[in-house]
Amino acid sequence: MFTLPQNLRIAHESSTLMTSFTVLGGPSSEQLARKVASKLNSKYIGCQLRLFPDGESKITLNGKPKGRIIVVQSVYPPVDSNLVRALAIISQAKKYSSHVYAVIPYMGYARQDREFLSGEVVTMSLVTKMLKTAGASKIVVVDIHSMMALKHFTIPAKNVSAIEELVKYFKKLHLKDPLVVSPDMGGIERAKNFANLLGVDYIALEKHRDRKTGEVAIKSSEHHEVRGRDLILVDDMISTGGSIVKAAEFLKRQKCGKIYASCTHALLIGDAEKRIRKAGVTKIISTNTIPGKTSIIDVSPVIVKAIS
Ligand code: R5P
């Protein structure tokens, strides 16, 4: 019998592994899913979405998946609809394979990971159960809001970070004495990682959010080190823009240079983008976990790395 030499065997086996995936792109993550499929040299199957007059989603797969299946469907607004669509695609995928990887680039509900005020429902816990029941055998998320949210999963769940990809963008800019700033103390580790990869310093502001009204205020006193320097405000997500707006206004009062806002997930609800620019932010840079005007950084390389 003819046997391949060892080096060719390894190459053949890894290419077999690469082509044994089918990537199913959900309606919220079609472009990202196509990129994942192309990097894995795998078959891509899209989905058709029909909306019934009452708002129900009807999903139809555009083909028959084979081998291990990767479902890519982000859970951004409309959050509940995109979640149900993810569950529907996963449950259909499960009919074709016992290995269904659910890639949820933006994991909605991750902020509801604990009971902050008495009586609040920890909905993240329910979401993890629903994903498992639908048929997901593994979960991959990108920069999940809290690691506590990830701990609710009882199936293997991996968080990957887009920070390296975001930093690559900033390395190409010619910033003046750059400083990385986290708008709150909770984001200090993220700011530290970002700054270390960029080879610059970092600071964190003190933010207070009223748990009932959602109102944000910056509590820090003066930060003299920002004067004349270009700043990169780093957060995991921008939702209403309240945190970035308050931080930018505070930093502008300290006579900083240009301000850039960098995040993984730019939800940019309502007129958030306009208010952020009005607060003095030169540019918002985000990733394609949520497609939009600011999502210029591709996270498919980190997703592929996590899977393969
Ligand atoms: C908070 O802990 C998060 O890291 C973000 O700062 C927050 O979710 C952003 O929300 P918003 O844009 O509404 O201030």
Side-chain angles (χ1 to χ4, degrees):
M1 193 179 101
F2 174 75
T3 28
L4 286 169
Q6 175 72 7
N7 57 344
L8 286 182
R9 215 161 53 224
I10 290 166
H12 172 75
E13 278 161 10
S14 66
S15 82
T16 311
L17 176 77
M18 301 252 275
T19 49
S20 67
F21 284 115
T22 298
V23 178
L24 290 183
S28 67
S29 297
E30 204 186 303
Q31 293 310 317
L32 176 55
R34 281 185 191 279
K35 287 192 162 90
V36 170
S38 141
K39 288 198 169 63
L40 285 169
N41 195 21
S42 295
K43 184 175 174 185
Y44 171 81
I45 294 179
C47 300
Q48 260 178 50
L49 168 66
R50 234 182 88 204
L51 275 188
F52 282 101
D54 62 358
E56 276 180 23
S57 302
K58 184 175 179 62
I59 301 272
T60 310
L61 301 195
N62 292 338
K64 285 192 176 160
K66 271 196 212 134
R68 293 170 181 228
I69 300 174
I70 300 167
V71 174
V72 189
Q73 164 80 354
S74 227
V75 176
Y76 58 79
V79 172
D80 294 345
S81 297
N82 274 330
L83 175 61
V84 170
R85 292 166 197 166
L87 296 168
I89 301 166
I90 292 165
S91 72
Q92 188 68 4
K94 184 73 181 171
K95 293 183 181 162
Y96 294 93
S97 173
S98 53
H99 296 280
V100 179
Y101 294 74
V103 178
I104 317 282
Y106 170 66
M107 183 73 247
Y109 283 102
R111 282 176 289 181
Q112 299 188 45
D113 60 349
R114 67 198 89 172
E115 190 179 338
F116 292 101
L117 298 178
S118 170
E120 283 180 352
V121 178
V122 183
T123 308
M124 185 61 206
S125 164
L126 170 68
V127 170
T128 61
K129 288 183 194 118
M130 290 197 293
L131 287 164
K132 182 183 173 185
T133 307
S137 41
K138 277 186 186 163
I139 305 282
V140 176
V141 293
V142 184
D143 287 326
I144 193 164
H145 179 69
S146 88
M147 291 313 278
M148 174 94 108
L150 205 66
K151 288 200 177 108
H152 289 287
F153 282 104
T154 53
I155 49 176
K158 190 168 186 172
N159 179 57
V160 296
S161 178
I163 289 183
E164 256 185 81
E165 302 302 313
L166 286 159
V167 166
K168 280 182 199 162
Y169 174 88
F170 284 95
K171 276 192 173 156
K172 290 189 212 135
L173 296 187
H174 299 287
L175 300 179
K176 189 177 164 206
D177 198 8
L179 179 71
V180 171
V181 183
S182 167
D184 53 45
M185 296 308 283
I188 196 159
E189 275 305 308
R190 183 180 311 115
K192 185 180 170 186
N193 290 343
F194 199 107
N196 286 347
L197 288 167
L198 196 58
V200 303
D201 289 336
Y202 67 96
I203 57 166
L205 304 180
E206 259 180 72
K207 178 179 96 178
H208 172 76
R209 187 188 289 274
D210 186 309
R211 288 248 164 247
K212 286 201 176 122
T213 63
E215 251 325 280
V216 170
I218 298 295
K219 294 282 181 201
S220 296
S221 49
E222 290 188 358
H223 272 278
H224 296 291
E225 64 270 59
V226 305
R227 187 175 277 263
R229 298 174 77 170
D230 287 345
L231 309 178
I232 308 167
L233 271 169
V234 173
D235 214 336
D236 59 331
M237 62 197 286
I238 302 176
S239 178
T240 64
S243 307
I244 295 292
V245 166
K246 293 287 180 199
E249 287 172 348
F250 172 83
L251 295 162
K252 279 286 174 193
R253 284 198 296 273
Q254 318 294 312
K255 310 251 179 296
C256 65
K258 283 185 184 166
I259 304 179
Y260 291 82
S262 169
C263 70
T264 305
H265 316 291
L267 287 160
L268 297 172
I269 305 298
D271 61 351
E273 194 185 344
K274 204 167 140 200
R275 288 188 303 107
I276 290 170
R277 291 197 195 284
K278 200 169 155 223
V281 172
T282 302
K283 196 168 182 183
I284 305 168
I285 292 102
S286 68
T287 79
N288 55 354
T289 60
I290 300 178
K293 261 202 281 175
T294 63
S295 58
I296 55 175
I297 307 299
D298 177 24
V299 292
S300 64
V302 289
I303 291 173
V304 166
K305 209 165 146 192
I307 289 167
S308 53

